[in-house]
Amino acid sequence: MAGYKRYRKESEVSYSLGITLTFELLKYKAEHVTRIFIHSGMKEGETLGKLTELSKAAGIEIVHTDKIFHVLSQKENCYVIGEFRKFQGTLTADASHIVLVQPSNAGNMGTIMRSALGFGITQMAIIRPAVDAFDPKTVRASMGAVFSMDFVYFDSFEEYREAFGERELYPFMLDAEMKLYEIRPKRVFSLIFGNEATGLPDEFSCIGTSVVIPHSGRIDSLNLPIAASIAMYEATKPKI
Amino acid sequence: MAGYKRYRKESEVSYSLGITLTFELLKYKAEHVTRIFIHSGMKEGETLGKLTELSKAAGIEIVHTDKIFHVLSQKENCYVIGEFRKFQGTLTADASHIVLVQPSNAGNMGTIMRSALGFGITQMAIIRPAVDAFDPKTVRASMGAVFSMDFVYFDSFEEYREAFGERELYPFMLDAEMKLYEIRPKRVFSLIFGNEATGLPDEFSCIGTSVVIPHSGRIDSLNLPIAASIAMYEATKPKI
């Protein structure tokens, strides 16, 4: 039997690193779980009992090994890894979306998923080239939100727009038409964010209503997960 | 001459790792800079010329060495390090504050500083035990905002409150009196956030007006820099 390999984007499976994340995986995507790995350092007890029970109930193989932990995890206190087949999401025309154009940081993508799920936006469009939503770093940063989100990759924004353009489109850029607190979405919407380093290209200013989150000149920009989260907060909160 | 040592909380100096951060340091805290270190991999050119010029103008010694980079930086493309004496900030009664109670993550603290500066909140109170605001990780995550913020450590929240309690106090907690979008600060305020893992202790519900950022039950909580940034956005935006 071959040894364990590092995660690659091309792999058919990915991994939840850590016990909490693996419980989230079992809760929301049990049908996709292929194996659960348990490290020799994992203590007997209620948590392990519950994990074993859930895995057995779902017919998932439990493998006791330390090897895969050396390959996949740098953290010292990671004693459980879940292996799962990648799954396919779908977007729908009647749901609001968050759209990430060429995102380059796995941790940021995961953090945005966590916030999105918190604000009830459960569908994400990702425009290539883009970081891998199944990268264990994304999975970890999402704190399991990735298991509840529907996300779909598109080769270009045009491709996304042809499929889902009939809605309120809000590209976020520094040079924008409206300030965030002025917008009042009336139907389903898409909040569109550019790459961490470069933002959205200028041509997005002609798409829908461009929006800025005003900030002082003392900083260049807000960080991407923070800007996206503020936008989702504002766009989804009750108007009072 | 002794070799270079790792950064410690007790050190009298800290470091800006990277060229962009070091320019921020020179821009806002030149009088505190003790040395600029330049790696042999740093290319000649306009950037280096500008750095050299600024350093000379401020009477700052430039040291050409690779050694300190091995000690302080894990990043491959870090070719400039600024060394600076730690500085002392002050809080004032007429300014709004962000208060971090026992924050445990340097990156989070830096990210919060960056957002705070963006929203015009330039004073931060930090309640011990707490992560080090001068840790190079905080400095880096702040993207230089740390050089423009005034921050002061307190041994307890009571100590802070005795000095600055005469204002609107908003502790953020899940079980709260008001929702974020319901509050309307009328004078200077303090937004108070607990530790990443534990949040604020229950007794904060009796202090000022407790506030929650409502989110779905699908996530346990928003991450701390995101919650703090959303709060600062909402509390400082024009009421329209």
Side-chain angles (χ1 to χ4, degrees):
Chain A
M1 186 184 151
Y4 298 107
K5 290 179 187 152
R6 287 196 174 283
Y7 171 80
R8 289 174 309 130
K9 200 170 179 171
E10 299 73 32
S11 309
E12 283 175 19
V13 295
S14 184
Y15 303 93
S16 60
L17 307 182
I19 180 89
T20 311
L21 210 45
T22 302
F23 272 122
E24 291 289 305
L25 171 65
L26 286 168
K27 186 167 178 187
Y28 294 109
K29 284 283 184 281
E31 72 279 18
H32 291 269
V33 182
T34 45
R35 291 181 288 186
I36 302 283
F37 300 99
I38 297 178
H39 189 278
S40 59
M42 179 74 190
K43 286 192 191 121
E44 296 286 332
E46 210 176 316
T47 310
L48 181 57
K50 196 180 158 201
L51 184 72
T52 311
E53 193 183 307
L54 279 173
S55 304
K56 280 190 181 157
I60 299 162
E61 182 188 2
I62 291 185
V63 183
H64 292 269
T65 177
D66 291 3
K67 284 185 188 160
I68 193 169
F69 291 84
H70 301 308
V71 177
L72 289 177
S73 173
Q74 278 86 49
K75 298 250 171 170
E76 278 178 23
N77 56 354
C78 174
Y79 294 135
V80 173
I81 291 179
E83 180 188 67
F84 62 94
R85 277 191 311 278
K86 294 179 181 178
F87 44 87
Q88 184 71 44
T90 44
L91 305 187
T92 58
D94 63 353
S96 290
H97 299 159
I98 176 120
V99 183
L100 301 184
V101 179
Q102 307 189 353
S104 61
N105 181 291
N108 284 349
M109 183 187 272
T111 304
I112 293 170
M113 286 184 177
R114 176 178 169 195
S115 288
L117 195 59
F119 292 122
I121 298 179
T122 62
Q123 299 189 8
M124 176 183 278
I126 305 165
I127 314 299
R128 295 192 178 96
V131 74
D132 176 11
F134 286 113
D135 189 307
K137 289 195 213 83
T138 315
V139 174
R140 192 206 301 254
S142 85
M143 296 186 74
V146 67
F147 305 130
S148 298
M149 291 288 290
D150 275 297
F151 51 89
V152 174
Y153 279 82
F154 294 85
D155 285 326
S156 67
F157 183 76
E158 273 319 301
E159 191 191 324
Y160 169 76
R161 197 181 181 186
E162 275 163 31
F164 297 104
E166 290 298 311
R167 54 175 58 222
E168 295 185 25
L169 297 171
Y170 295 109
F172 281 74
M173 36 213 312
L174 291 178
D175 186 13
E177 229 172 298
M178 303 274 279
K179 297 185 171 103
L180 176 60
Y181 45 77
E182 295 168 342
I183 69 166
R184 291 279 179 279
K186 283 178 187 60
R187 47 192 185 112
V188 290
F189 58 81
S190 292
L191 307 175
I192 308 162
F193 288 86
N195 170 271
E196 284 86 347
T198 58
L200 287 174
D202 289 344
E203 55 264 33
F204 276 81
S205 59
C206 310
I207 292 169
T209 307
S210 59
V211 183
V212 64
I213 305 173
H215 60 75
S216 79
R218 295 297 290 275
I219 64 167
D220 286 337
S221 65
L222 294 163
N223 99 0
L224 176 61
I226 284 178
S229 300
I230 291 173
M232 292 188 283
Y233 160 79
E234 181 69 270
T236 61
K237 79 180 192 190
K239 303 305 169 205
I240 54 172
Chain B
M1 185 184 153
Y4 298 107
K5 290 180 187 153
R6 287 196 176 283
Y7 171 80
R8 289 174 309 131
K9 200 170 181 173
E10 299 74 31
S11 309
E12 283 176 17
V13 295
S14 184
Y15 304 93
S16 60
L17 306 182
I19 179 89
T20 311
L21 210 47
T22 302
F23 273 123
E24 292 288 306
L25 171 65
L26 286 167
K27 188 168 178 186
Y28 295 108
K29 284 283 185 279
E31 72 279 19
H32 292 268
V33 182
T34 44
R35 290 181 290 186
I36 303 284
F37 300 100
I38 297 179
H39 189 276
S40 59
M42 178 74 188
K43 288 192 188 115
E44 295 287 332
E46 211 177 314
T47 310
L48 182 56
K50 196 180 157 200
L51 185 72
T52 311
E53 194 184 303
L54 279 172
S55 304
K56 280 191 180 155
I60 298 162
E61 183 188 3
I62 291 185
V63 183
H64 293 271
T65 177
D66 292 2
K67 284 185 190 160
I68 193 170
F69 291 83
H70 301 308
V71 177
L72 289 177
S73 173
Q74 279 85 48
K75 298 251 170 168
E76 278 178 21
N77 56 353
C78 174
Y79 294 137
V80 173
I81 290 178
E83 180 190 68
F84 61 94
R85 278 191 310 277
K86 294 180 182 177
F87 45 86
Q88 183 72 44
T90 44
L91 304 189
T92 58
D94 63 352
S96 290
H97 300 161
I98 175 120
V99 182
L100 301 183
V101 179
Q102 307 189 349
S104 60
N105 181 290
N108 284 350
M109 183 186 272
T111 304
I112 293 170
M113 286 184 177
R114 177 177 169 197
S115 288
L117 195 58
F119 292 121
I121 297 179
T122 63
Q123 299 189 7
M124 176 184 279
I126 305 164
I127 314 299
R128 293 190 179 97
V131 74
D132 175 12
F134 285 114
D135 189 307
K137 288 196 214 83
T138 315
V139 174
R140 191 206 300 255
S142 85
M143 296 187 74
V146 66
F147 305 130
S148 298
M149 292 287 291
D150 275 296
F151 51 88
V152 174
Y153 279 80
F154 295 84
D155 285 325
S156 67
F157 183 77
E158 272 318 301
E159 190 189 325
Y160 169 76
R161 197 183 183 184
E162 276 163 31
F164 297 103
E166 288 300 310
R167 52 177 56 224
E168 295 185 26
L169 297 171
Y170 294 109
F172 281 73
M173 36 213 311
L174 291 177
D175 186 12
E177 228 172 298
M178 303 273 279
K179 299 188 170 96
L180 176 60
Y181 44 75
E182 295 168 341
I183 69 166
R184 291 278 179 280
K186 284 179 186 57
R187 51 194 183 112
V188 291
F189 56 82
S190 291
L191 307 175
I192 307 161
F193 288 86
N195 171 271
E196 284 86 347
T198 57
L200 287 175
D202 290 344
E203 55 262 34
F204 277 80
S205 59
C206 311
I207 293 170
T209 307
S210 58
V211 183
V212 64
I213 304 174
H215 60 75
S216 79
R218 295 296 291 272
I219 63 167
D220 287 336
S221 65
L222 294 162
N223 98 0
L224 176 61
I226 284 178
S229 300
I230 291 173
M232 292 188 284
Y233 161 79
E234 182 67 89
T236 62
K237 79 179 191 189
K239 302 304 171 205
I240 55 174

